[in-house]
Amino acid sequence: MTRIALCQIPVSPDPSVNLKRVREALAASAGADLAIFPEATLTRYGRRITGLAEPLDGPFVSGLAEAAREHGTAVIAGVFEPGEDRVHNTAVAIDGQGALKAAYRKIHLFDSFGAKESDLVAPGAEPTVVELAGVRVGLVTCYDIRFPELTRALVDKGAELFAVIAAWGSGPLKEDHWVTLVRARALENTMWTAAVGQAPNPAESSDGFGVGRSMLVDPLGVVRSDLGTGPGVRVVEVDDEWTATARATLPCLEHRVL
């Protein structure tokens, strides 16, 4: 069993507030091997991200590493990293000793539903799998979940779990899209999928980011845990033996032709 903390926190424009919330969530995650936080944990979306982006050895990621080391818990969280002309939307993966093990730059940018993420963010190019807490974790960020070819590439790179981080935008049917897509990526790859979104932040509700609905989905697409819409931390368990059972029942990865 791997114990994972789904850390559904509201995100402030102020990185210091968000780092404090990360520390509080880790304190509430006793016994977890891995804690997953939302996309853009550094700061809320907006033009501010270009001024608040930090290098991976900057104070925010260093603070995440210190908190991970203090609690002995691996951490995945979303930050913004300076680039050449735009920032990168980056998921950092830090082990329980506080070492940065991987940084995944979001590949698919949210130029949809009237938004234009690519105005501020440069895309990454490399699907990323990282070993944390003894599990090979495939990293997926928000809009990426709409592209099944990415998660299939992560399977081919040896992923044993998908970690999806998001600042999902609200709107008609958007919450349904989130739940459907997370379950679909889990089911079609017979893969445990831990998906964590921002909780709504009433003080910043005008931007529409954050619907909550963080969840753990099993390899047959069953939602094992759903945090609803409010802030919260929940420790859930991933059972590798159930993956083997599911894949014996539904060997679709073995039946691939293309």
Side-chain angles (χ1 to χ4, degrees):
M1 294 282 190
T2 302
R3 291 171 60 81
I4 298 174
L6 308 178
C7 299
Q8 183 170 288
I9 62 171
V11 173
S12 165
D14 183 343
S16 66
V17 171
N18 297 326
L19 189 55
K20 180 175 182 289
R21 289 174 177 163
V22 167
R23 291 182 178 279
E24 291 170 346
L26 283 173
S29 303
D33 304 298
L34 168 64
I36 304 176
F37 290 87
E39 176 188 25
T41 295
L42 170 69
T43 184
R44 288 186 77 79
Y45 263 103
R47 296 206 169 269
R48 71 179 70 85
I49 67 176
T50 59
L52 292 175
E54 296 182 7
L56 298 180
D57 59 356
F60 192 82
V61 175
S62 296
L64 293 177
E66 180 184 344
R69 184 167 54 250
E70 177 185 344
H71 292 278
T73 305
V75 168
I76 294 170
V79 301
F80 295 104
E81 179 191 3
E84 291 184 6
D85 59 341
R86 292 168 288 172
V87 303
H88 291 288
N89 184 341
T90 302
V92 293
I94 298 167
D95 70 15
Q97 288 71 50
L100 180 65
K101 304 301 287 185
Y104 164 63
R105 293 171 171 177
K106 183 179 181 183
I107 293 172
H108 302 97
L109 301 183
F110 185 54
D111 289 359
S112 297
F113 293 95
K116 195 74 182 296
E117 185 177 13
S118 63
D119 283 348
L120 302 175
V121 177
E126 185 63 33
T128 300
V129 175
V130 57
E131 185 165 329
L132 292 174
V135 179
R136 290 183 57 77
V137 183
L139 302 177
V140 179
T141 301
C142 204
Y143 193 52
D144 281 335
I145 198 70
R146 293 185 182 271
F147 299 88
E149 58 271 26
L150 174 61
T151 46
R152 190 52 58 88
L154 295 173
V155 169
D156 289 341
K157 290 172 77 74
E160 299 167 321
L161 167 78
F162 296 145
V164 184
I165 63 172
W168 202 256
S170 60
L173 298 178
K174 290 295 300 301
E175 191 173 316
D176 287 340
H177 291 188
W178 165 254
V179 174
T180 300
L181 290 161
V182 170
R183 293 185 66 193
R185 299 295 84 85
L187 176 57
E188 70 198 4
N189 293 293
T190 51
M191 184 76 73
W192 284 99
T193 300
V196 177
Q198 292 184 15
N201 185 343
E204 304 291 337
S205 59
S206 61
D207 64 21
F209 292 117
V211 300
R213 298 302 303 275
S214 300
M215 63 184 69
L216 178 71
V217 181
D218 78 12
L220 291 180
V222 176
V223 177
R224 295 291 190 96
S225 188
D226 184 331
L227 270 67
T229 57
V233 174
R234 186 173 301 168
V235 178
V236 296
E237 291 186 340
V238 168
D239 182 354
D240 291 340
E241 292 185 5
W242 178 241
T243 301
T245 299
R247 290 180 176 179
T249 303
L250 178 63
C252 56
L253 293 178
E254 297 177 22
H255 294 163
R256 292 167 61 188
V257 175
L258 299 178

